[in-house]
Amino acid sequence: SGIMELEELKLKWKVLSERLDREQVIRRQDMERMLRGRVGSYLHYVQFMLLLGVAVVPLCVAIGKFRGVSDIFIWWVVAGYLLCLLPSFFSLWLLLRVSRCDADIVECEHRMTRYAAFAGAYYIFQYVVVILFVAGMLLYAAGYYTAHGMWWTVAALLSLTAVACIVITHHEWGRIRDLQRRIRELREFDEA
């Protein structure tokens, strides 16, 4: 009787253990699926923003030509803008490496840390350059604005640029932190 109870207990323990293992596997798959979805979504967002950044160039050239700005000035501005945009392609490459890191979650975390460090430095550089560029352009045209009593336009554009930079950076940094948190949770789940 005691031996039969022990065998039943062993069987119940085995069934419980298998069920727990299955639930752990399902939970890990869910965590991994959520992480892949978030990485994919952020990757598409970065690609869209980069495409938008490149699409601005023909628009600016067309506006410059329409306003009668000299070709030399337009091409210097375009060259400077594209030079500032160049690190975005490197940033995209780093993020693609994160998205292709399938098997090794530790390597994925390492790549994401590298991406976050680069992205943080690049955001600061990019937005300082954007604000300085807009300020330079507005100061270049300040005589026109002042002569026509439109000084408020200068102040409004500078303020709008600064606010847009802060909002975009805050949004993107939140997404990066979310990805880092999810990767860390998955690594800790694997280690447990």
Side-chain angles (χ1 to χ4, degrees):
S1 172
I3 294 174
M4 291 200 45
E5 285 176 13
L6 187 62
E7 288 300 319
E8 279 182 41
L9 275 170
K10 281 183 181 179
L11 185 62
K12 285 180 183 178
W13 179 259
K14 184 179 176 189
V15 169
L16 240 110
S17 180
E18 286 173 0
R19 186 180 303 156
L20 185 63
D21 287 346
R22 273 196 310 272
E23 286 174 6
Q24 292 288 74
V25 167
I26 291 169
R27 183 163 176 240
R28 190 195 188 289
Q29 287 172 343
D30 287 344
M31 290 172 74
E32 193 172 350
R33 190 172 21 260
M34 282 290 290
L35 175 62
R36 284 185 194 285
R38 295 288 173 111
V39 169
S41 170
Y42 184 62
L43 182 61
H44 288 118
Y45 169 78
V46 169
Q47 289 170 328
F48 174 75
M49 292 302 281
L50 187 56
L51 186 63
L52 198 62
V54 172
V56 165
V57 173
L59 179 67
C60 290
V61 169
I63 290 171
K65 294 244 183 224
F66 177 74
R67 300 286 295 167
V69 178
S70 72
D71 286 346
I72 294 287
F73 184 73
I74 290 173
W75 294 116
W76 273 109
V77 169
V78 166
Y81 175 76
L82 290 177
L83 200 59
C84 289
L85 199 62
L86 199 57
S88 292
F89 289 98
F90 181 69
S91 175
L92 178 63
W93 178 76
L94 285 174
L95 191 58
L96 280 168
R97 284 177 44 88
V98 171
S99 71
R100 292 182 181 141
C101 190
D102 292 333
D104 190 358
I105 194 68
V106 174
E107 179 63 22
C108 185
E109 185 175 34
H110 180 68
R111 289 178 183 182
M112 190 63 204
T113 302
R114 220 175 320 162
Y115 173 79
F118 179 81
Y122 182 54
Y123 288 150
I124 293 167
F125 164 77
Q126 191 175 32
Y127 294 132
V128 165
V129 167
V130 165
I131 290 169
L132 290 176
F133 175 75
V134 170
M137 292 302 294
L138 292 173
L139 289 174
Y140 175 76
Y144 173 82
Y145 289 120
T146 306
H148 291 83
M150 293 173 23
W151 59 269
W152 56 269
T153 305
V154 175
L157 283 174
L158 277 175
S159 301
L160 185 64
T161 302
V163 168
C165 289
I166 290 167
V167 168
I168 289 169
T169 303
H170 181 71
H171 172 71
E172 289 187 10
W173 202 245
R175 292 183 78 171
I176 289 170
R177 288 287 180 227
D178 178 57
L179 289 177
Q180 286 182 305
R181 180 182 57 79
R182 288 176 184 278
I183 291 169
R184 185 179 61 252
E185 286 173 356
L186 192 56
R187 177 183 51 78
E188 288 169 356
F189 183 85
D190 286 350
E191 288 174 354

